[in-house]
Amino acid sequence: MDEKYLLLPIFLAFLSAALSYVIPFRSAKAHKWFLFLTTLVTSLSVWMLLLNRPEEGLHIYSFSDEFTLILRLDDFGALFAGMTSFLWPFATLYAFEYMRHETHNRMFFAFYLLTFGITEGIAFSGSMITAFVFYEMLTLSTLPLVLSRFNEDSQFAARRYAIYCLGGSAFAFIGVVFLSVYGSGAFFTPGGVLTGAEVSKEMMLGVFLVAFFGFGVKAAVFPFHAWLPMASVAPTPVTALLHAVAVVKSGVFLIVRLTWFCFGADYLRGTWAQKVCLAFVIFTLVYGAAMAVKERHFKRRLAFSTVSNLSYILFGVLLLTEAGLAAGLTHMLFHALIKIGAFMCAGAFMHMTGREYVFELDGVGKKMPFTFALYTVFALSLTGIPLFNGFVSKYKLVMAGFEEGSALGVIGVIGLILAAFLCAVYTFTVSVRAFFPKAGSDRFLMTNVTDPNWLMLVPIALFAVLNILTGVWPEPILRLTAQVAASALS
């Protein structure tokens, strides 16, 4: 396929976002049909590219030899693009029902579509400067989504989100500049671009550390994670995508690019920079799980769980082994399926009851049995129970940590096991409260609360089925992630 088609999904999403805002639709139903069909067409255009991948990259513009905007679809970009384009239409379907009584819906869905196009731009980027441009655009397009309710909590969360993400980008840009100058334009290259570069290695390791924490803001690495639980004030369709796909996984995506396709595993392996980053990641995955146990707000509890699970992925990535990278990428895919479904269940509870806290869940499972049965599937998977996909990816991460053999690898495995135990505590308590309230504590006994309609339940049920299917039969995904990991080697 001609490389010019790499622009198609991005252009379609941008154009659809603009038209959805300015066209005077005769009814809300017509507006929703337009949004869903354009989202679906954009996703199909991505899959058309994945199945007929262009062999060459598309050169867009050169500021200089070192700073070039280029789109190129390699195995890793295809994995990320496939994940996001599969999830987005179902999240949009869910959003129609959830946002029915919200205001500013035209603005909301315009930026929702725009974010889709920008995320695909990150996936298709062929150089670090290209990825950084889309990465900055992602912050700007998701900021109005966090702010969409325009109340005091949303304004505070949006300010904090902007400060963290723009501040992190400033540090990440240092890495972009150094890599572009000393890495021949920082085009994404398996094995890295610094081989043979005549530059101080100690200086470049310092640059790696700065860039890692810069991109690590969106990946919620401690101590730059605080924006993520705060962003839970946004409507659930936003938090589901922010915490499962678009923002946080874009941070992870660019850390993988930085580590494996710019610096290179051989360049970083055994260095102090790798050890520092691994230490922070191991602490984050335990810290996030511990904070989730403590958190009483339903969505913020899941947000702290995301903080923990993002560092599961980064632990595998930073082991700098092929097995570790494959395990990390597997968890990236499986966590997306788990967490988007779990957030949708939390959103369904909030939408149907008007309540937000874990202590308010007592007895709701009897009134919303389908929703909380599906939530329990996600809880089992997130904890790492066999026959669910979370077990597969966590098992692969544990084995990769042992195989790597260093002290930090073993400590990381211990951290993973501890975080999994804490995960069982903060996820299963929700199901127990929902289905087995203490005597006299059923808050919903005399209420008319029910499960939500099909617009919300169908996406949740689909993701639950996929959690089970990929847990029982994970081989296709494991082969795919192994192939992508192998392609990242020189």
Side-chain angles (χ1 to χ4, degrees):
M1 180 172 286
D2 193 288
E3 61 271 12
K4 292 184 178 64
Y5 283 103
L6 289 168
L7 282 172
L8 182 60
I10 303 169
F11 174 77
L12 282 175
F14 281 32
L15 178 63
S16 301
L19 291 177
S20 73
Y21 189 78
V22 300
I23 292 177
F25 294 98
R26 292 184 178 181
S27 65
K29 185 177 181 180
H31 184 217
K32 290 176 181 177
W33 270 109
F34 176 84
L35 289 165
F36 183 71
L37 289 176
T38 52
T39 301
L40 189 61
V41 169
T42 302
S43 290
L44 290 174
S45 70
V46 173
W47 281 92
M48 177 186 70
L49 286 163
L50 298 182
L51 296 174
N52 302 276
R53 198 184 307 175
E55 295 182 3
E56 301 296 327
L58 176 64
H59 181 274
I60 300 174
Y61 186 79
S62 290
F63 300 96
S64 66
D65 291 340
E66 291 83 12
F67 294 93
T68 299
L69 299 180
I70 184 171
L71 299 179
R72 181 181 290 116
L73 191 56
D74 62 6
D75 287 347
F76 182 45
L79 183 73
F80 187 65
M83 178 185 73
T84 55
S85 60
F86 174 76
L87 296 176
W88 219 283
F90 296 104
T92 302
L93 193 67
Y94 176 94
F96 291 154
E97 172 62 20
Y98 191 93
M99 298 298 294
R100 187 157 52 92
H101 300 300
E102 297 280 350
T103 56
H104 310 292
N105 276 1
R106 275 184 174 265
M107 181 205 77
F108 175 90
F109 281 109
F111 281 103
Y112 206 67
L113 258 174
L114 184 65
T115 300
F116 185 17
I118 292 169
T119 306
E120 298 310 317
I122 292 173
F124 292 176
S125 295
S127 69
M128 188 56 87
I129 188 66
T130 313
F132 184 80
V133 170
F134 282 110
Y135 187 75
E136 285 293 85
M137 292 171 66
L138 183 64
T139 299
L140 299 178
S141 69
T142 51
L143 185 61
L145 296 176
V146 176
L147 186 61
S148 61
R149 284 177 172 154
F150 291 96
N151 56 28
E152 186 176 341
D153 288 342
S154 296
Q155 292 175 34
F156 179 77
R159 284 196 300 270
R160 185 62 65 92
Y161 175 62
I163 291 168
Y164 270 78
C165 289
L166 294 176
S169 295
F171 285 102
F173 188 64
I174 295 173
V176 173
V177 172
F178 272 84
L179 285 167
S180 297
V181 172
Y182 295 109
S184 303
F187 296 104
F188 294 140
T189 305
V193 296
L194 292 178
T195 304
E198 296 182 1
V199 60
S200 167
K201 184 170 183 177
E202 287 301 306
M203 181 185 73
M204 291 307 296
L205 290 177
V207 169
F208 172 79
L209 194 66
V210 169
F212 170 82
F213 282 107
F215 289 124
V217 171
K218 278 194 172 75
V221 176
F222 182 90
F224 306 112
H225 65 285
W227 67 270
L228 188 58
M230 290 182 184
S232 296
V233 301
T236 298
V238 178
T239 52
L241 283 176
L242 256 64
H243 295 199
V245 189
V247 173
V248 295
K249 295 291 168 58
S250 292
V252 169
F253 179 84
L254 287 181
I255 287 176
V256 177
R257 287 295 200 192
L258 178 78
T259 305
W260 284 83
F261 293 86
C262 289
F263 280 84
D266 291 340
Y267 192 88
L268 294 170
R269 190 177 293 114
T271 64
W272 61 267
Q274 180 202 12
K275 294 174 183 177
V276 170
C277 293
L278 262 177
F280 272 89
V281 162
I282 293 167
F283 178 82
T284 303
L285 67 88
V286 176
Y287 170 81
M291 291 301 293
V293 172
K294 180 182 176 182
E295 181 57 58
R296 301 174 71 195
H297 189 276
F298 196 0
K299 280 210 302 183
R300 283 200 295 270
R301 174 173 289 195
L302 293 176
F304 275 114
S305 170
T306 299
V307 171
S308 177
N309 277 269
L310 292 171
S311 282
Y312 276 60
I313 303 168
L314 294 179
F315 171 71
V317 171
L318 289 167
L319 288 174
L320 300 180
T321 64
E322 186 176 341
L325 179 59
L329 296 180
T330 303
H331 196 64
M332 182 180 77
L333 294 178
F334 288 168
H335 175 257
L337 285 174
I338 298 166
K339 192 53 65 68
I340 195 170
F343 267 109
M344 285 179 171
C345 289
F349 165 73
M350 295 167 66
H351 180 73
M352 299 305 295
T353 67
R355 306 189 185 194
E356 301 182 3
Y357 289 87
V358 173
F359 66 82
E360 295 177 313
L361 287 160
D362 292 344
V364 72
K366 300 175 183 179
K367 298 290 185 176
M368 301 177 66
F370 198 64
T371 300
F372 280 90
L374 294 174
Y375 168 83
T376 303
V377 171
F378 300 123
L380 290 165
S381 190
L382 194 62
T383 301
I385 303 299
L387 302 183
F388 297 90
N389 62 12
F391 168 79
V392 176
S393 56
K394 290 186 177 184
Y395 173 78
K396 290 292 184 181
L397 285 167
V398 167
M399 295 307 297
F402 278 131
E403 288 174 11
E404 193 267 347
S406 70
L408 278 174
V410 175
I411 292 170
V413 168
I414 295 170
L416 289 171
I417 295 170
L418 176 58
F421 171 76
L422 294 172
C423 180
V425 174
Y426 67 71
T427 56
F428 292 154
T429 50
V430 170
S431 295
V432 170
R433 278 184 172 273
F435 287 111
F436 307 104
K438 293 180 181 178
S441 65
D442 190 332
R443 296 172 178 267
F444 298 92
L445 189 62
M446 304 302 293
T447 67
N448 295 320
V449 171
T450 63
D451 281 310
N453 68 16
W454 69 272
L455 287 171
M456 299 179 84
L457 285 181
V458 167
I460 299 172
L462 173 67
F463 297 141
V465 169
L466 288 174
N467 268 268
I468 298 170
L469 181 61
T470 53
V472 175
W473 188 44
E475 285 77 14
I477 301 296
L478 295 177
R479 284 197 299 268
L480 176 63
T481 53
Q483 175 188 327
V484 175
S487 74
L489 301 173
S490 56

